[in-house]
Amino acid sequence: MTDIGQLSTLLIYGAMAAYAVALVSFAVDLSGLRDGGPEGRRRKAVGIAMSTTWVGAALHLAGVVTRAIAAGRVPWANMYEFSTLFSLVAILVFLGLTRTRDLRFLGTFVVGLTLLMLGIAVSVLYVRADGVQPALDSYWLIIHVSIATIATGVLAIGAVLSVVQLVQERSELRRVRASTEVSEPALVGATGGATGGGSPAAGAMTGRWSKLMESAPTSAEFERLAFRLNAVGFMLWTFTIIAGAIWAEHAWGRPWGWDPKETWSFVIWVVYAAYLHARSTRGWEGRRAAYLSIFGFVCVLANYFVVNLVFNSLHSYSGIG
């Protein structure tokens, strides 16, 4: 199975190469949108970006499948495998969203995040394909960790949408201020006064970024979409915790022990529960909701990297979830 394991690694590298081409193409498209370049040039760049993203996703999926064949088990039993799989989920969620609405300009952020995670996976987290320790040889590995992987990928896209929401909200506020200031020169001229001018360079820069964001959905649309994805991710994370407690009862004779991994998983659950509650019942829409969404995913990353790599935990032998 060594040859298949090597093939899996090569496929992941191939996916990274395709994603790198896609990232450059998405960046060219963003530059065209920002500068108001020719429509044909923009669409050509984003067409290349989407095509290479699909190629990368296919290679990525093949790499995950061949990893499972090489290991003779499900491909999510360690941090390397978890990283390759949840980044694949994020890419597939992004590609699925682009089928129903034009969110292709988000490709720079999503593909960039995926490329970063794969880079960390192959350079820092890589381990050879092999079996699992007896404690992990359970059907709960299939149930518990697979749902955690999907939840992480979904929450990652929710966080990306919240970041873009904040950028769009700021752009909208600038456009409102600009529209209210348009009438000031005429008003001041009519009264014989002098007008104060802003920096032309700053105005040009603002104009370029406004051009980009004008072609994107509104911040409210980004916020609604992020909320839906975070709601799905929260339900999946809830199931992850419940399944983990059942597995802990079978493996260690107790469902919960405030192990660092269990504690941080609960912290994540509380943050997203607060986000959903505040968004639904307290009117925390807009910026405050976005900050909570981003903070929630920061907690997910802390749980994944810091808790797995720094803390002593009953979960340390696996480094997953």
Side-chain angles (χ1 to χ4, degrees):
M1 291 297 182
T2 303
D3 291 341
I4 299 179
Q6 292 174 346
L7 174 61
S8 171
T9 305
L10 288 174
L11 287 167
I12 294 298
Y13 276 116
M16 292 175 66
Y19 289 145
V21 174
L23 181 61
V24 172
S25 300
F26 276 125
V28 170
D29 181 62
L30 270 185
S31 178
L33 286 169
R34 189 190 68 179
D35 297 332
E39 178 71 17
R41 187 186 70 183
R42 294 206 308 266
R43 294 305 94 191
K44 182 178 180 181
V46 82
I48 293 172
M50 291 300 297
S51 297
T52 49
T53 300
W54 277 105
V55 171
L59 292 170
H60 198 160
L61 176 61
V64 169
V65 171
T66 50
R67 175 77 178 193
I69 296 171
R73 53 166 172 75
V74 292
W76 51 73
N78 51 63
M79 288 185 71
Y80 168 77
E81 295 170 355
F82 193 97
S83 298
T84 58
L85 189 55
F86 98 72
S87 56
L88 174 61
V89 171
I91 281 288
L92 293 178
V93 170
F94 164 68
L95 291 173
L97 289 174
T98 60
R99 304 290 290 180
T100 58
R101 64 200 79 203
D102 191 3
L103 295 174
R104 293 174 293 180
F105 75 97
L106 292 178
T108 303
F109 312 101
V110 177
V111 173
L113 176 63
T114 300
L115 198 54
L116 175 63
M117 287 307 307
L118 290 180
I120 294 172
V122 299
S123 63
V124 179
L125 304 175
Y126 178 79
V127 293
R128 293 180 59 188
D130 204 349
V132 294
Q133 297 189 24
L136 292 177
D137 190 11
S138 168
Y139 60 88
W140 283 107
L141 174 66
I142 301 174
I143 300 171
H144 170 62
V145 184
S146 64
I147 300 302
T149 306
I150 297 170
T152 303
V154 171
L155 293 174
I157 301 300
V160 168
L161 288 167
S162 294
V163 171
V164 179
Q165 171 199 334
L166 292 174
V167 175
Q168 177 65 295
E169 181 179 338
R170 188 172 182 180
S171 178
E172 289 169 347
L173 290 173
R174 284 176 174 171
R175 290 198 294 269
V176 169
R177 290 195 205 101
S179 65
T180 58
E181 291 171 359
V182 165
S183 60
E184 288 184 6
L187 180 61
V188 173
T191 57
T195 61
S199 167
M205 182 64 70
T206 302
R208 285 198 295 271
W209 284 108
S210 294
K211 196 78 172 179
L212 165 62
M213 299 313 295
E214 282 173 9
S215 63
T218 65
S219 61
E221 291 176 282
F222 281 127
E223 198 271 336
R224 284 192 295 269
L225 186 54
F227 173 76
R228 291 169 188 164
L229 288 176
N230 286 331
V232 172
F234 173 76
M235 289 187 290
L236 293 171
W237 196 261
T238 300
F239 182 84
T240 296
I241 292 176
I242 294 171
I246 297 172
W247 191 6
E249 176 69 33
H250 284 277
W252 301 319
R254 52 83 175 154
W256 196 268
W258 296 106
D259 177 82
K261 175 65 68 174
E262 295 166 345
T263 301
W264 269 95
S265 295
F266 180 66
V267 168
I268 293 167
W269 187 88
V270 169
V271 171
Y272 278 103
Y275 162 82
L276 294 174
H277 176 74
R279 168 65 168 72
S280 301
T281 65
R282 305 294 297 178
W284 270 40
E285 298 180 353
R287 186 177 304 175
R288 291 184 294 182
Y291 286 141
L292 261 181
S293 171
I294 296 167
F295 178 67
F297 190 67
V298 169
C299 291
V300 172
L301 293 178
N303 179 51
Y304 185 54
F305 288 107
V306 179
V307 176
N308 281 340
L309 299 175
V310 176
F311 288 88
N312 290 322
S313 166
L314 287 171
H315 296 75
S316 296
Y317 57 78
S318 61
I320 54 176

